[in-house]
Amino acid sequence: MANAAINLSEPRAARAESGHAAVEAWLWFVAALVFAMVAVGGATRLTGSGLSITEWKPIMGAIPPLNEADWLVAFEKYKQIPQYKLVNEGMSLSDFKSIFWWEWGHRFLGRIVGVVFALPLLVFWWRGWLRAGTAGKYAGLLALGAIQGAIGWYMVASGLSERVSVSQYRLALHLSGALAIFALLVWLALDERRARLGGSPGIVTGFVRAMAAVMFGLVFLQTVLGAFVAGLKAGLIYNTWPSMDGQFVPSDYWIDGHGLMSFFEGHAAAQFNHRMMAYVLLAVALAQTIAILRAGATCAAKLSGFVLLLAIVAQAIIGILTLVWHVPLTLGVLHQAGAVAVLGVAVWHLFAVNDARKV
């Protein structure tokens, strides 16, 4: 009877295993879409396309202009904002279409992310494939995605009346939301894998565990500082390395009358801060790698720590090349995408360290 009971339960267990694997694959796929969306967002910013759509229509906005009359209406709306009048006056309809498609693609990808997350979530919940205690986490992540869409419009709106570009503060907020969503997706995917396949045996020291958390925080902060560089177009000045046109600290770091706000509003300050944080990040990553070697940490914590160091070095090299070559589109997008990739590795490392046994 016992054997019969076990045999009868095997198909159900197999179905549950298959369902949990599907949930994990779904999370990785959505994370990949968010990664792509951040990369497209970088291209949208670098091509000056972010203000080409002057309305926020969450549903009907998914439909682009379908004929010449629709294109002329969209173009006329763009002509009313300062960016056209002060930067792009005389732009042809063909040129407008080029920047329009970048922004439309970015927004459409955001809608795709929402659908690809929400619909499978409902199916997984209906089929009972969600592990106990995870449904609330996924619902919260869905809500965060909706808020992120609203933040995106809040950012765009800052450039439609008095500015020729979006506010660097709102750009940093928008990127922070995307980073948070991506990090949570990666963490939840790793958690699903651990629940399905078991944890990674190994040991780490308390120092390594603390350093992993510090590394994640520094990577996140460095990426947000990069958003200020991008928002202020601060990568188009001081295109030398390692000095800033022969100076360590640029003479125009502080803006008269701005005080501490120069930290967020000065072009030279934004680039200097981003540079310095890169050096700090490299130093901390190297210190952590040495600590891992000395402590003899094992399992995924060791591997992920080494990968994180290599990723940070590669990202620093890309950043230097992007700067000295005056931010070409390809390198600019690669640098932004690289920042998200480094964050993903930092999440993996933090997860692996927390999964290991502390000694």
Side-chain angles (χ1 to χ4, degrees):
M1 293 292 291
N3 289 337
I6 291 173
N7 290 335
L8 287 173
S9 67
E10 283 178 352
R12 182 177 180 182
R15 290 196 300 271
E17 173 68 17
S18 176
H20 296 325
V23 171
E24 181 193 341
W26 161 67
L27 289 168
W28 285 121
F29 182 64
V30 177
L33 286 177
V34 173
F35 178 90
M37 188 173 179
V38 175
V40 172
T44 300
R45 173 182 53 78
L46 288 166
T47 56
S49 306
L51 300 177
S52 57
I53 302 177
T54 60
E55 298 175 312
W56 189 42
K57 297 180 178 179
I59 305 299
M60 297 306 296
I63 304 173
L66 300 177
N67 52 52
E68 195 71 6
D70 290 343
W71 277 113
L72 290 173
V73 169
F75 194 21
E76 284 300 319
K77 291 178 180 178
Y78 177 66
K79 288 181 177 180
Q80 304 308 310
I81 70 171
Q83 186 185 74
Y84 174 82
K85 296 176 180 178
L86 300 176
V87 178
N88 291 328
E89 188 172 12
M91 169 186 276
S92 67
L93 179 60
S94 177
D95 289 336
F96 170 71
K97 289 180 180 180
S98 297
I99 64 172
F100 180 95
W101 283 121
W102 275 116
E103 175 64 6
W104 182 86
H106 183 56
R107 295 191 189 192
F108 187 74
L109 189 53
R111 293 180 173 95
I112 292 296
V113 171
V115 171
V116 170
F117 188 86
L119 293 185
L121 177 60
L122 291 175
V123 173
F124 296 150
W125 174 77
W126 175 66
R127 302 203 65 171
W129 288 356
L130 300 180
R131 292 188 296 111
T134 60
K137 297 177 182 178
Y138 298 141
L141 193 53
L142 181 62
L144 183 59
I147 294 172
Q148 175 69 353
I151 291 174
W153 172 247
Y154 176 66
M155 176 190 70
V156 170
S158 67
L160 297 179
S161 58
E162 298 178 357
R163 302 170 57 101
V164 297
S165 61
V166 300
S167 162
Q168 69 271 25
Y169 297 104
R170 299 188 191 186
L171 175 63
L173 177 63
H174 189 49
L175 181 60
S176 297
L179 296 176
I181 291 171
F182 178 77
L184 288 169
L185 284 166
V186 172
W187 185 278
L188 290 171
L190 291 169
D191 192 47
E192 286 291 336
R193 173 170 288 265
R194 177 179 57 185
R196 188 167 58 87
L197 302 178
S200 301
I203 58 172
V204 296
T205 64
F207 177 77
V208 170
R209 180 169 288 183
M211 288 290 281
V214 170
M215 286 296 300
F216 171 79
L218 289 177
V219 170
F220 197 102
L221 175 60
Q222 171 67 339
T223 308
V224 174
L225 289 176
F228 281 94
V229 175
L232 292 167
K233 295 181 173 57
L236 299 177
I237 59 172
Y238 292 110
N239 300 104
T240 60
W241 186 84
S243 72
M244 297 180 71
D245 290 351
Q247 307 171 83
F248 177 69
V249 180
S251 57
D252 54 344
Y253 185 95
W254 293 105
I255 303 174
D256 291 341
H258 282 66
L260 292 177
M261 295 308 294
S262 297
F263 190 89
F264 303 103
E265 298 178 357
H267 295 71
Q271 188 187 130
F272 178 82
N273 298 337
H274 195 49
R275 288 190 186 211
M276 293 304 105
M277 183 55 67
Y279 300 145
V280 170
L281 198 52
L282 281 166
V284 174
L286 184 59
Q288 179 184 238
T289 301
I290 294 172
I292 289 174
L293 288 173
R294 287 181 174 177
T298 59
C299 71
K302 184 175 183 179
L303 174 61
S304 59
F306 287 140
V307 174
L308 181 56
L309 174 61
L310 293 175
I312 290 171
V313 170
Q315 175 69 350
I317 293 172
I318 294 171
I320 292 169
L321 293 176
T322 302
L323 176 70
V324 299
W325 289 346
H326 296 260
V327 197
L329 177 61
T330 302
L331 277 178
V333 173
L334 181 61
H335 190 49
Q336 179 153 320
V340 184
V342 173
L343 183 69
V345 177
V347 173
W348 170 37
H349 180 56
L350 181 61
F351 187 91
V353 165
N354 280 276
D355 201 30
R357 182 167 54 89
K358 179 181 175 182
V359 295

